[in-house]
Amino acid sequence: ACQTSLPSGRPTATDTPDCLCTFDVDRTLTGKQGVLAPRCPANKVVPKVQDTAYGGGVLTLSAVGQSYAQTFCGNCYVGIVTAGDGSGFHSRERDILATQLSKAGVLVSQSWSGPSKVHDARRSCEGVQIQSPLVAGCSDGT
């Protein structure tokens, strides 16, 4: 399932406590590659940008991946924790996701850390030193 519209109803800064929102990449910030209206009318294809997840295709941003500014998280610190690798080290996908997160909330760094920082090396992140708010390669549940 996907969102059919962009989020709305952003709270004011006085309504929102100090907070941290983290997002997964695949099927949260991104939608299924190439799936648009009528099934997922809020999805948006980013031409000429590869997304290697789930068999690959052209990067497709979900409604949240395009803008979460109108949600609770629009006034929070933000980051990514994903089991995937965001299409790899220095990928355009990673750059776009960091840029999108920076448009609202507070992203304190656009550097990546985690087991899949440089190449796909998914594993448990228990005991792994995380040095940035963008984390790739943490096995589900860790």
Side-chain angles (χ1 to χ4, degrees), residues 4 8 26-27 36 43 52 71-72 76 90 109 124 126 128 135 137:
T4 58
S8 64
D26 303 317
R27 307 304 188 261
L36 304 169
N43 281 358
T52 60
T71 72
F72 171 86
C76 297
H90 292 306
S109 168
S124 170
E126 287 187 41
V128 173
V135 183

Side-chain angles (χ1 to χ4, degrees), residues 6 26 31 38 43 57 63 71 75 79 82-83 85 92 102 105 113 115 131-133 137:
L6 295 175
D26 303 317
N43 281 358
T71 72
N75 291 319
T82 185
D85 69 353
R92 296 236 3 250
S102 297
S113 59
Q131 300 155 342
S132 73

Side-chain angles (χ1 to χ4, degrees), residues 1-5 27 31-44 60 62-63:
C2 63
Q3 290 183 274
T4 58
S5 63
R27 307 304 188 261
K32 185 173 182 180
Q33 296 95 329
V35 176
L36 304 169
R39 186 167 170 204
C40 296
N43 281 358
K44 179 182 175 187
T60 302
S62 69

Side-chain angles (χ1 to χ4, degrees), residues 18 25 60 65-66 72 91-92 107 116 119 136:
D18 292 335
V25 172
T60 302
Q66 293 171 62
F72 171 86
S91 70
R92 296 236 3 250
L107 181 63
S116 294
H119 56 84

Side-chain angles (χ1 to χ4, degrees), residues 85-138:
D85 69 353
S87 295
F89 193 57
H90 292 306
S91 70
R92 296 236 3 250
E93 179 180 350
R94 284 187 182 188
D95 291 342
I96 288 167
L97 293 173
T99 298
Q100 291 301 113
L101 283 182
S102 297
K103 289 181 178 180
V106 179
L107 181 63
V108 297
S109 168
Q110 290 196 9
S111 66
W112 288 77
S113 59
S116 294
K117 174 184 177 179
V118 178
H119 56 84
D120 190 14
R122 184 179 310 185
R123 66 181 177 91
S124 170
C125 279
E126 287 187 41
V128 173
Q129 272 199 328
I130 303 300
Q131 300 155 342
S132 73
L134 304 173
V135 183
C138 292

